[in-house]
mmCIF file of all heavy atoms in Angstrom:
data_model
loop_
_atom_site.group_PDB
_atom_site.id
_atom_site.type_symbol
_atom_site.label_atom_id
_atom_site.label_comp_id
_atom_site.label_asym_id
_atom_site.label_seq_id
_atom_site.Cartn_x
_atom_site.Cartn_y
_atom_site.Cartn_z
ATOM 1 N N GLY A 212 15.445 47.730 31.538
ATOM 2 C CA GLY A 212 16.042 48.774 32.374
ATOM 3 C C GLY A 212 17.481 48.427 32.722
ATOM 4 O O GLY A 212 18.043 47.451 32.252
ATOM 5 N N THR A 213 18.090 49.210 33.515
ATOM 6 C CA THR A 213 19.429 48.888 33.992
ATOM 7 C C THR A 213 19.437 49.086 35.487
ATOM 8 O O THR A 213 19.078 50.133 35.983
ATOM 9 C CB THR A 213 20.481 49.799 33.341
ATOM 10 O OG1 THR A 213 20.300 49.675 31.937
ATOM 11 C CG2 THR A 213 21.876 49.387 33.705
ATOM 12 N N THR A 214 19.794 48.060 36.158
ATOM 13 C CA THR A 214 19.733 48.123 37.604
ATOM 14 C C THR A 214 21.071 47.650 38.151
ATOM 15 O O THR A 214 21.675 46.762 37.582
ATOM 16 C CB THR A 214 18.654 47.158 38.139
ATOM 17 O OG1 THR A 214 17.686 47.001 37.122
ATOM 18 C CG2 THR A 214 18.040 47.643 39.394
ATOM 19 N N THR A 215 21.484 48.236 39.218
ATOM 20 C CA THR A 215 22.723 47.726 39.788
ATOM 21 C C THR A 215 22.407 46.780 40.925
ATOM 22 O O THR A 215 21.491 46.993 41.702
ATOM 23 C CB THR A 215 23.615 48.865 40.315
ATOM 24 O OG1 THR A 215 22.745 49.815 40.909
ATOM 25 C CG2 THR A 215 24.403 49.503 39.209
ATOM 26 N N VAL A 216 23.160 45.731 40.935
ATOM 27 C CA VAL A 216 22.953 44.730 41.978
ATOM 28 C C VAL A 216 24.139 44.859 42.923
ATOM 29 O O VAL A 216 25.257 45.031 42.493
ATOM 30 C CB VAL A 216 22.960 43.318 41.351
ATOM 31 C CG1 VAL A 216 22.698 42.278 42.411
ATOM 32 C CG2 VAL A 216 21.951 43.241 40.238
ATOM 33 N N LYS A 217 23.846 44.769 44.204
ATOM 34 C CA LYS A 217 24.978 44.908 45.131
ATOM 35 C C LYS A 217 25.835 43.651 45.128
ATOM 36 O O LYS A 217 25.616 42.747 44.338
ATOM 37 C CB LYS A 217 24.466 45.221 46.532
ATOM 38 C CG LYS A 217 23.089 44.729 46.760
ATOM 39 C CD LYS A 217 22.584 45.095 48.077
ATOM 40 C CE LYS A 217 21.364 44.214 48.293
ATOM 41 N NZ LYS A 217 21.013 43.937 49.574
ATOM 42 N N ALA A 218 26.787 43.634 46.019
ATOM 43 C CA ALA A 218 27.775 42.549 45.960
ATOM 44 C C ALA A 218 27.178 41.181 46.281
ATOM 45 O O ALA A 218 27.262 40.696 47.396
ATOM 46 C CB ALA A 218 28.902 42.866 46.929
ATOM 47 N N ILE A 219 26.578 40.631 45.270
ATOM 48 C CA ILE A 219 26.050 39.277 45.431
ATOM 49 C C ILE A 219 26.742 38.429 44.363
ATOM 50 O O ILE A 219 26.798 38.831 43.199
ATOM 51 C CB ILE A 219 24.530 39.262 45.213
ATOM 52 C CG1 ILE A 219 23.839 40.083 46.307
ATOM 53 C CG2 ILE A 219 23.992 37.840 45.199
ATOM 54 C CD1 ILE A 219 22.389 40.378 46.046
ATOM 55 N N ASP A 220 27.306 37.318 44.770
ATOM 56 C CA ASP A 220 27.937 36.445 43.777
ATOM 57 C C ASP A 220 26.838 35.747 43.001
ATOM 58 O O ASP A 220 25.969 35.112 43.590
ATOM 59 C CB ASP A 220 28.818 35.394 44.470
ATOM 60 C CG ASP A 220 29.997 36.043 45.166
ATOM 61 O OD1 ASP A 220 30.431 37.109 44.694
ATOM 62 O OD2 ASP A 220 30.451 35.497 46.180
ATOM 63 N N GLN A 221 26.915 35.892 41.675
ATOM 64 C CA GLN A 221 25.826 35.330 40.867
ATOM 65 C C GLN A 221 26.325 34.226 39.940
ATOM 66 O O GLN A 221 27.327 34.390 39.257
ATOM 67 C CB GLN A 221 25.197 36.431 40.026
ATOM 68 C CG GLN A 221 24.583 37.537 40.856
ATOM 69 C CD GLN A 221 24.149 38.665 39.955
ATOM 70 O OE1 GLN A 221 23.286 38.502 39.111
ATOM 71 N NE2 GLN A 221 24.769 39.811 40.124
ATOM 72 N N TYR A 222 25.583 33.132 39.945
ATOM 73 C CA TYR A 222 25.947 31.988 39.105
ATOM 74 C C TYR A 222 24.710 31.473 38.388
ATOM 75 O O TYR A 222 23.587 31.676 38.846
ATOM 76 C CB TYR A 222 26.496 30.840 39.962
ATOM 77 C CG TYR A 222 27.763 31.197 40.669
ATOM 78 C CD1 TYR A 222 27.722 31.754 41.950
ATOM 79 C CD2 TYR A 222 28.995 31.012 40.063
ATOM 80 C CE1 TYR A 222 28.887 32.116 42.593
ATOM 81 C CE2 TYR A 222 30.167 31.371 40.699
ATOM 82 C CZ TYR A 222 30.110 31.913 41.971
ATOM 83 O OH TYR A 222 31.260 32.280 42.599
ATOM 84 N N TYR A 223 24.958 30.782 37.282
ATOM 85 C CA TYR A 223 23.837 30.072 36.664
ATOM 86 C C TYR A 223 24.236 28.651 36.351
ATOM 87 O O TYR A 223 25.425 28.326 36.222
ATOM 88 C CB TYR A 223 23.365 30.781 35.380
ATOM 89 C CG TYR A 223 24.228 30.545 34.167
ATOM 90 C CD1 TYR A 223 23.954 29.494 33.294
ATOM 91 C CD2 TYR A 223 25.320 31.352 33.899
ATOM 92 C CE1 TYR A 223 24.757 29.266 32.179
ATOM 93 C CE2 TYR A 223 26.122 31.133 32.793
ATOM 94 C CZ TYR A 223 25.841 30.086 31.939
ATOM 95 O OH TYR A 223 26.632 29.854 30.849
ATOM 96 N N TRP A 224 23.248 27.813 36.282
ATOM 97 C CA TRP A 224 23.463 26.408 35.942
ATOM 98 C C TRP A 224 22.452 26.071 34.865
ATOM 99 O O TRP A 224 21.254 26.313 35.023
ATOM 100 C CB TRP A 224 23.257 25.542 37.182
ATOM 101 C CG TRP A 224 23.032 24.092 36.916
ATOM 102 C CD1 TRP A 224 21.874 23.403 37.103
ATOM 103 C CD2 TRP A 224 23.989 23.133 36.438
ATOM 104 N NE1 TRP A 224 22.045 22.089 36.761
ATOM 105 C CE2 TRP A 224 23.340 21.895 36.339
ATOM 106 C CE3 TRP A 224 25.343 23.219 36.061
ATOM 107 C CZ2 TRP A 224 23.984 20.752 35.887
ATOM 108 C CZ3 TRP A 224 25.975 22.071 35.626
ATOM 109 C CH2 TRP A 224 25.298 20.862 35.555
ATOM 110 N N GLN A 225 22.948 25.540 33.730
ATOM 111 C CA GLN A 225 22.012 25.266 32.647
ATOM 112 C C GLN A 225 21.424 23.876 32.804
ATOM 113 O O GLN A 225 22.113 22.874 32.709
ATOM 114 C CB GLN A 225 22.698 25.400 31.290
ATOM 115 C CG GLN A 225 21.659 25.466 30.207
ATOM 116 C CD GLN A 225 22.241 25.947 28.898
ATOM 117 O OE1 GLN A 225 23.180 25.396 28.381
ATOM 118 N NE2 GLN A 225 21.663 26.988 28.361
ATOM 119 N N VAL A 226 20.153 23.858 33.044
ATOM 120 C CA VAL A 226 19.494 22.608 33.391
ATOM 121 C C VAL A 226 18.029 22.757 33.074
ATOM 122 O O VAL A 226 17.535 23.854 32.880
ATOM 123 C CB VAL A 226 19.685 22.339 34.909
ATOM 124 C CG1 VAL A 226 18.932 23.338 35.742
ATOM 125 C CG2 VAL A 226 19.299 20.921 35.296
ATOM 126 N N SER A 227 17.314 21.631 32.985
ATOM 127 C CA SER A 227 15.871 21.805 32.882
ATOM 128 C C SER A 227 15.142 20.582 33.415
ATOM 129 O O SER A 227 15.745 19.556 33.660
ATOM 130 C CB SER A 227 15.458 22.080 31.446
ATOM 131 O OG SER A 227 15.756 20.966 30.658
#
Side-chain angles (χ1 to χ4, degrees):
T213 306
T214 333
T215 39
V216 182
K217 26 183 195 154
I219 295 168
D220 294 331
Q221 298 173 63
Y222 296 91
Y223 78 91
W224 162 249
Q225 195 165 56
V226 68
S227 64

